Amino acid sequence: MTMGFAHSKLTARLRAIALLDDADAALVESLPIKLQNVPGGQDIVRDGQTVEQCCMLVDGYLFRHKIAADGKRQIVSWHVPGDIPDLYSLHLDPIDHNITALGPAVICFIPHHPFKEMLNASPGLTHIFWRETLVDSALFREWVVSLGKRDALARIAHMICELATRLRVVGLATEDRFQFPASQVDVADATGMTPVHANRMIQQLRAKGLIEWEGQTIRLLNFEELKSLADFDEAYLHLRTPR
Amino acid sequence: MTMGFAHSKLTARLRAIALLDDADAALVESLPIKLQNVPGGQDIVRDGQTVEQCCMLVDGYLFRHKIAADGKRQIVSWHVPGDIPDLYSLHLDPIDHNITALGPAVICFIPHHPFKEMLNASPGLTHIFWRETLVDSALFREWVVSLGKRDALARIAHMICELATRLRVVGLATEDRFQFPASQVDVADATGMTPVHANRMIQQLRAKGLIEWEGQTIRLLNFEELKSLADFDEAYLHLRTPR
DNA sequence: CGCGGTCTTGACAGACATCAATTTCAGTGG
DNA sequence: CCACTGAAATTGATGTCTGTCAAGACCGCG
């Protein structure tokens, strides 16, 4: 039943973000999909590559990163289950960054050719997937704002708010808790600071009574205040409001 | 002939980035387009709005920006003639940022409805325009890298390299010179620093003999060294290599 | 039990921000 | 034609956030 499992993840995701009619659902069901386990730290796609398939994250975390001068790594996005981080590869190549598994992850691959055929057959699905790439884009813009205008404490807080909010949508964060297997070095590379400073900012968030962060689990002790400190407004995530 | 003028700008842009067959060209020609002059500083679209049309920049500059806490403004992208900065509004609303004219500009509006009809009729055009939004996205990622990993001097240098390269594509920069009507406050808001520091970095670029920047014209005295200082690699712009 | 990765802490340095004043200069009106 | 005005650019002095360097603590793992 692995095939069925991957399809159900994909259609569940699509139903969460849009109304999916029967014809479109059938098209999605007919996509050939291949599940795969990847160990933590493994690259899914690499800078400069041209790929012939997209991957959807089924379980775990992925992150997208670019290498700047001196080999400095900047993480530009986190990805949670349901995301198709290289969806853009359908229309843009070569890839200009790396996508790597943060911890052990489960992904599924969808070959470009049938994917494109499906999109050509359905303006509705084209809209849905195009929109997904645009939401991605909106997150990058918000990261630019974070790095450009928010201080180190707010940047870390903002990252936590974003993760919590996105994870709740896919049912992977409870009211006050979620798993996040990133080291402080990873956090530093995502928020534009050194690991030493990331450590101090995390401690400060703890001292303020806003979070607990033990090992891989983050607990939100006062989400409202955290959001306020972070200048977090979830509008940029373009979540579908349940109707 | 204003209608014809706007159409020719649009098809010229599309031909620059992709092969356009006759059928697709005809579809584009049939779009209703309305030209408009806008004075410098005027908003084209505002945060929170839902729009029913896209705008293509015909002449001048636009910039995209978001307002963070304390009213601090972060510019997240510059736009040059040929760009359709709110193309994403076809599939994503409401708008989550502002787009404003940097100086006096000429734009043209394309209503969503016929635009969508056209895309539904042509997988080729869907590909082209979808790709445009993905290139946008790639620029945001690079800005994240700049703000996260490059120092103030490199960030300004990088911005100049990006502008020069993009302007050359549309024939608006000569080998060593282009117009750019931004104040140092604008530059500071785009590169994540204070105007005072932006001023000092610009002076440093002058002192190094890399640029001249008088009024609204920037002159590149040593583009290779500027690129090297900026850690600039144009791959992220995904320019079509002329064949 | 030893090893390497991760987290933590401290001292110090440096990049950049802040505050404040001065200069430049295009536009405007007398 | 020239004083007046305000925005933009420039400069200096000072403060602070964040980086750098270095060491130690903790901990899972072989």
Side-chain angles (χ1 to χ4, degrees):
Chain A
M1 289 298 285
T2 46
M3 282 282 284
F5 175 66
H7 281 102
S8 72
K9 279 282 177 183
L10 183 51
T11 52
R13 165 68 168 201
L14 299 180
R15 286 184 198 285
I17 58 180
L19 297 174
L20 203 61
D21 67 31
D22 292 344
D24 284 344
L27 282 173
V28 172
E29 292 291 341
S30 69
L31 283 175
I33 300 187
K34 202 178 59 190
L35 266 179
Q36 187 176 323
N37 289 298
V38 295
Q42 184 165 106
D43 290 341
I44 311 295
V45 302
R46 287 214 186 86
D47 199 338
Q49 274 186 327
T50 296
V51 300
E52 296 299 334
Q53 54 191 7
C54 294
C55 79
M56 186 182 79
L57 177 58
V58 174
D59 191 45
Y61 289 84
L62 304 180
F63 62 96
R64 201 191 299 249
H65 59 110
K66 298 190 76 164
I67 306 297
D70 320 329
K72 288 185 287 191
R73 178 185 72 161
Q74 176 67 41
I75 293 177
V76 299
S77 59
W78 299 114
H79 290 284
V80 304
D83 288 355
I84 309 176
D86 58 353
L87 183 52
Y88 66 92
S89 67
L90 277 175
H91 296 289
L92 192 69
D93 64 283
I95 288 179
D96 61 17
H97 54 259
N98 308 284
I99 298 178
T100 304
L102 182 59
V106 181
I107 61 181
C108 67
F109 286 111
I110 310 166
H112 278 179
H113 184 67
F115 203 155
K116 286 180 179 170
E117 297 275 292
M118 179 189 79
L119 295 177
N120 288 346
S122 166
L125 287 172
T126 298
H127 164 76
I128 292 172
F129 285 104
W130 190 339
R131 184 179 188 279
E132 283 292 284
T133 65
L134 296 172
V135 171
D136 239 48
S137 185
L139 299 213
F140 296 137
R141 285 193 291 271
E142 189 66 25
W143 282 46
V144 169
V145 175
S146 257
L147 289 163
K149 294 294 154 185
R150 299 199 250 262
D151 64 21
L153 190 64
R155 291 206 296 280
I156 301 241
H158 199 279
M159 188 197 80
I160 295 172
C161 291
E162 179 183 307
L163 282 168
T165 306
R166 292 170 64 192
L167 288 167
R168 283 181 184 177
V169 171
V170 291
L172 291 171
T174 64
E175 187 60 32
D176 74 336
R177 193 186 305 258
F178 61 93
Q179 298 294 115
F180 187 56
S183 72
Q184 292 183 357
V185 173
D186 299 325
V187 173
D189 281 346
T191 53
M193 66 191 83
T194 57
V196 171
H197 203 59
N199 176 278
R200 292 185 166 126
M201 295 301 102
I202 290 169
Q203 288 180 51
Q204 208 167 312
L205 291 176
R206 289 192 188 115
K208 284 176 183 286
L210 298 178
I211 64 164
E212 279 174 8
W213 189 336
E214 305 285 335
Q216 307 193 342
T217 115
I218 296 178
R219 185 159 165 230
L220 308 172
L221 301 179
N222 188 339
F223 197 24
E224 287 312 310
E225 210 171 313
L226 190 69
K227 286 197 280 195
S228 148
L229 170 67
D231 177 35
F232 180 79
D233 173 356
E234 70 175 40
Y236 77 95
L237 295 173
H238 293 276
L239 305 174
R240 294 300 199 182
T241 47
R243 267 166 284 202
Chain B
M1 288 298 286
T2 47
M3 283 282 285
F5 175 67
H7 281 104
S8 72
K9 279 284 177 181
L10 183 51
T11 51
R13 165 69 168 202
L14 299 180
R15 286 184 199 284
I17 59 181
L19 297 175
L20 205 61
D21 67 31
D22 292 344
D24 284 344
L27 283 173
V28 173
E29 292 291 342
S30 69
L31 282 175
I33 301 186
K34 202 178 57 189
L35 266 180
Q36 186 175 323
N37 288 298
V38 296
Q42 184 166 107
D43 289 342
I44 312 295
V45 302
R46 288 214 185 85
D47 199 337
Q49 273 186 327
T50 296
V51 299
E52 296 299 333
Q53 54 190 8
C54 294
C55 79
M56 185 183 80
L57 178 58
V58 174
D59 192 45
Y61 289 84
L62 304 180
F63 63 95
R64 201 191 301 248
H65 58 110
K66 299 190 77 164
I67 306 297
D70 321 329
K72 287 184 289 191
R73 178 184 71 160
Q74 176 67 41
I75 293 177
V76 300
S77 59
W78 300 114
H79 290 282
V80 304
D83 288 356
I84 308 176
D86 59 353
L87 183 52
Y88 67 91
S89 67
L90 277 175
H91 297 289
L92 192 68
D93 66 283
I95 288 178
D96 61 17
H97 55 259
N98 308 284
I99 297 177
T100 304
L102 181 60
V106 182
I107 61 181
C108 66
F109 286 111
I110 310 166
H112 278 179
H113 184 68
F115 203 154
K116 286 180 179 171
E117 296 275 291
M118 178 189 80
L119 294 177
N120 288 345
S122 167
L125 287 172
T126 298
H127 164 76
I128 292 172
F129 285 103
W130 190 339
R131 184 179 188 280
E132 283 292 283
T133 65
L134 296 172
V135 171
D136 239 48
S137 184
L139 299 213
F140 296 137
R141 286 195 289 272
E142 189 65 26
W143 281 46
V144 169
V145 175
S146 256
L147 289 163
K149 295 292 154 188
R150 300 199 249 262
D151 63 21
L153 190 64
R155 290 207 295 281
I156 301 238
H158 199 278
M159 187 198 80
I160 294 171
C161 290
E162 179 183 307
L163 282 169
T165 306
R166 292 171 64 193
L167 287 167
R168 282 181 184 178
V169 171
V170 290
L172 291 171
T174 64
E175 186 61 32
D176 74 336
R177 193 185 306 256
F178 61 93
Q179 298 294 115
F180 187 57
S183 72
Q184 292 183 358
V185 173
D186 300 324
V187 172
D189 281 346
T191 53
M193 67 191 82
T194 58
V196 172
H197 204 59
N199 176 279
R200 291 182 168 128
M201 294 302 103
I202 290 169
Q203 288 181 53
Q204 209 167 313
L205 290 175
R206 289 191 188 115
K208 284 175 182 286
L210 298 177
I211 63 164
E212 278 174 9
W213 188 335
E214 305 285 334
Q216 307 193 341
T217 115
I218 296 177
R219 184 160 165 229
L220 307 172
L221 300 179
N222 189 339
F223 197 25
E224 287 311 311
E225 210 171 312
L226 189 69
K227 286 197 280 194
S228 147
L229 170 67
D231 178 34
F232 180 79
D233 174 355
E234 69 175 42
Y236 78 96
L237 295 173
H238 294 275
L239 304 174
R240 295 300 200 181
T241 48
R243 267 164 285 201

